[in-house]
Structure formats: structure tokens, C-alpha cells
Amino acid sequence: MFSYRHAFHAGNHADVLKHTVLIATLEYLKQKEVALSLIDTHAGNGLYRLDGDFAQTSNESASGIQQLLAYAANATEPLTPAVQQYLDQITSFNGEIKPGTKRIVYPGSPALLQHLMRPQDQLHLFELQPADMRALQGNMAQGPFANHTHVWHADGFKDSLKFLPPPSRRALVLCDPSYELKTDYGQVAQWLSDALRKFATGTYIIWYPVIPRPEAHELPRKLKTIARQAGKSWLHATLAIKTGGKSGVQLPGERAERTGMVASGVVVVNPPFVLREQLQQALPELVKALGQDHVAAHTLESSA
Ligand SMILES: C[S@@+](CC[C@H](N)C(=O)[O-])C[C@H]1O[C@@H](n2cnc3c(N)ncnc32)[C@H](O)[C@@H]1O
């Protein structure tokens, strides 16, 4: 258990999709002054070096953030706002990024949230893997708003619910498990039901891998049903970068069917009303930037 390490995957196409959606959603929610509780149920290290040993083993960022940076460097037209916002964040951790360099610091969701939060906001991060937990603590202690950042060595499925409803009645919650355990799929659905029961008006972003497993296939349908039954709106987006296959390196903690994952999705419950339009523009651009063959595609659907 807990052999999954996000450092092997940081900056891959799934991170590009998830973090683009996360930033666009948070930027919208920040338009209101009222404080936000930001909760990341499965945090990872928080910050990664793409020239580090873990990232180099898999080299997944080559078909993710590095490919997007190369695309942006050669773009003759302005990028779509959500993609530009995402790249602005990556740049803000690095300064100028030289073309082709792997000397890139990649901010995971905790670092992005900490970087974007305001003095009135609180950030709660959950991580169970001991080494990742220690790295997370160190990385977050050096960031802005460290005294508003709470790192918990605890089960994000269970303990995140203790912070709902938040005092200000406004929250953005990211649920981004490793799906290392088959039971994670069921736990995500149960967690969303419980979270909506405790705090129906929060904004919830749930990431999942698009892989040939019945549980993975079923998950977005289940999440949409849970949202609908709670009377809440939802948005569902996927990004596939190429034909599916198991051609990748099987890494420690990796389920065989996730090896060489080529597509992933996010379900957002109570999404900002502008998110659909933003992703309608951004997703085709991500397909253009990251797509490797004719199967590269996106999908986008929503309840309204
Ligand atoms: C996909 S990674 C998170 C990546 C991160 N959200 C990001 O976008 O940068 C999932 C993390 O969840 C951790 N984890 C696994 N089960 C957990 C649980 N029940 N509660 C909290 N963390 C858990 C893993 O150790 C791993 O670091």
C-alpha cells in the first residue's frame, strides 16, 4: 500500500487537465471577497522537480507540461485564457523557462492552491504516504500563507469531511486519489455523497483515470448521478492524448492497466457557470498541443 508516488507522474497530461480546471475554478471563486476553505484530499508532495530522479524515470512530463510549453513558445495566436492562466502559474514558479529544458519546478495542486490563496482563505491538505507527507510539510512551510496552510497526515476521504461545512460557507475541494487501490473508486463516490450531504453548495473537483477497468468507466456516471440526486449542477471533461495502450513503463505502485495512461477526466460539482465556456475553448487547444495521433480528443458535457 502507498507505493504510488506522484513524483513519477508530475506534469503529465492528466496534471495539465486537472490543474487547468483547478486554477480556472479557483480564479472564478476568488471574485467574491468572502473567505474560501481550500481542501485537497490527496495532496502528494506539493512541488516537484522535473529533472529529478522520479520524474526522469517515467519522463511523463515530456508529453504533458513540456509539450505544452513548446506549443506555447511556437504559438502565433494568443492562447485560450484558461491555458494561459495555467501556464502563467507554472512560469511564476520558474521565471523564464528555457526552451527544451527539464530544469522545471512543477507545482502540484497544494502549491498552486497556496500560491493562489488570499489572506482570508484557509488551505487543508491531506497526505497518507509518510515520505510524501514530510516533503509536503517542507514545501508548504516555505510557501506564502504557511500559517494558513494545514498539512494533515490523515485519510483525506474521511478527515476532509470534518472541515465541511466551512465557517464561511464557501469551499473548493479537490479529490485526486491515486486509484492505487480498487476500492478508491467506491470511496470517491461515497465521499462525494457524504460531502454533499454535509455541504451541498461547495465546489468539488474529482479527477479520475480513463482506463479499461469497469470501476473507472462507471465512476463519472456515478458522480453525475450523485450530483443530480442532490439537485446540484455538474460538468464533466475528458482529455485523451493518443490511442490507448499499455506501452509505458510500469512504475512502483502502478496498476498494470494504468501503465501508459493516455486519457483522464474531471467531474466538477457546482462548477462556476463560466467553466463550461472556458473549457470549450481550452480543451481543443490542449488536444492540439498534446495530441499525438488521430484518437486524441476531448469531451465536455454538463448538466445545464
Ligand atoms: C494523484 S496523487 C495527488 C496529486 C496532487 N493532488 C496534485 O495534483 O499535485 C495522490 C496522493 O494521495 C496519497 N494518498 C493515497 N491514499 C490517501 C488517502 N486515503 N488520504 C490521503 N492521501 C492519500 C498518495 O500517497 C498520493 O500522494
Side-chain angles (χ1 to χ4, degrees):
M1 199 177 167
F2 304 130
S3 43
Y4 176 95
R5 311 296 297 278
H6 196 66
F8 284 114
H9 307 285
N12 69 3
H13 61 88
D15 268 4
V16 172
L17 171 67
K18 172 182 40 178
H19 295 155
T20 299
V21 170
L22 180 69
I23 293 165
T25 303
L26 178 52
E27 288 295 13
Y28 177 81
L29 294 176
K30 278 166 54 179
Q31 288 176 17
K32 267 197 191 154
E33 277 305 307
V34 183
L36 280 162
S37 280
L38 306 170
I39 300 175
D40 193 344
T41 61
H42 294 69
N45 284 13
L47 209 56
Y48 305 89
R49 289 197 61 119
L50 298 185
D51 60 350
D53 288 347
F54 281 41
Q56 286 294 291
T57 304
S58 57
N59 203 21
E60 287 190 23
S61 68
S63 52
I65 182 61
Q66 292 191 55
Q67 194 163 326
L68 183 59
L69 285 166
Y71 171 88
N74 293 321
T76 50
E77 303 275 308
L79 301 181
T80 59
V83 173
Q84 186 60 58
Q85 245 173 355
Y86 165 66
L87 285 178
D88 288 348
Q89 283 308 309
I90 307 303
T91 310
S92 73
F93 282 83
N94 288 280
E96 195 204 341
I97 299 176
K98 293 208 177 79
T101 183
K102 286 188 195 279
R103 289 181 65 85
I104 297 171
V105 171
Y106 187 81
S109 50
L112 290 169
L113 290 168
Q114 197 187 43
H115 215 237
L116 289 166
M117 70 192 282
R118 307 160 300 175
Q120 64 267 46
D121 301 331
Q122 295 288 333
L123 175 59
H124 295 280
L125 306 166
F126 297 87
E127 176 55 50
L128 270 184
Q129 211 280 347
D132 283 350
M133 161 67 194
R134 283 191 295 277
L136 179 66
Q137 275 178 322
N139 286 329
M140 293 300 104
Q142 287 170 32
F145 303 117
N147 54 351
H148 289 204
T149 302
H150 313 280
V151 178
W152 304 102
H153 189 200
D155 181 350
F157 286 127
K158 199 157 80 31
D159 288 20
S160 62
L161 296 171
K162 293 181 185 162
F163 295 94
L164 300 176
S168 67
R169 301 259 155 191
R170 296 188 76 222
L172 171 59
V173 188
L174 172 66
C175 183
D176 179 28
S178 52
Y179 299 93
E180 186 182 348
L181 304 172
K182 203 164 111 180
T183 49
D184 277 358
Y185 295 94
Q187 279 206 281
V188 169
Q190 186 60 51
W191 168 84
L192 180 64
S193 292
D194 294 344
L196 283 173
R197 202 169 313 114
K198 291 197 79 175
F199 184 48
T201 54
T203 296
Y204 299 92
I205 301 177
I206 298 118
W207 178 88
Y208 71 95
V210 176
I211 51 171
R213 277 202 74 83
E215 293 87 351
H217 187 72
E218 280 293 294
L219 186 61
R221 193 187 55 75
K222 277 192 187 161
L223 299 177
K224 290 184 286 184
T225 303
I226 291 165
R228 194 167 49 245
Q229 286 172 347
K232 297 296 153 193
S233 58
W234 54 264
L235 174 149
H236 176 212
T238 65
L239 174 67
I241 61 160
K242 62 175 178 177
T243 312
K246 295 185 182 175
S247 53
V249 184
Q250 191 169 347
L251 297 162
E254 203 70 279
R255 302 186 65 87
E257 63 273 27
R258 266 200 68 170
T259 302
M261 178 186 66
V262 293
S264 74
V266 287
V267 173
V268 187
V269 178
N270 293 321
F273 78 97
V274 292
L275 189 61
R276 185 182 168 100
E277 193 186 323
Q278 286 180 321
L279 293 181
Q280 240 157 11
Q281 298 169 6
L283 289 169
E285 179 158 72
L286 291 180
V287 171
K288 203 166 149 202
L290 305 185
Q292 295 179 22
D293 64 21
H294 68 284
V295 176
H298 76 276
T299 64
L300 180 61
E301 53 167 356
S302 62
S303 56

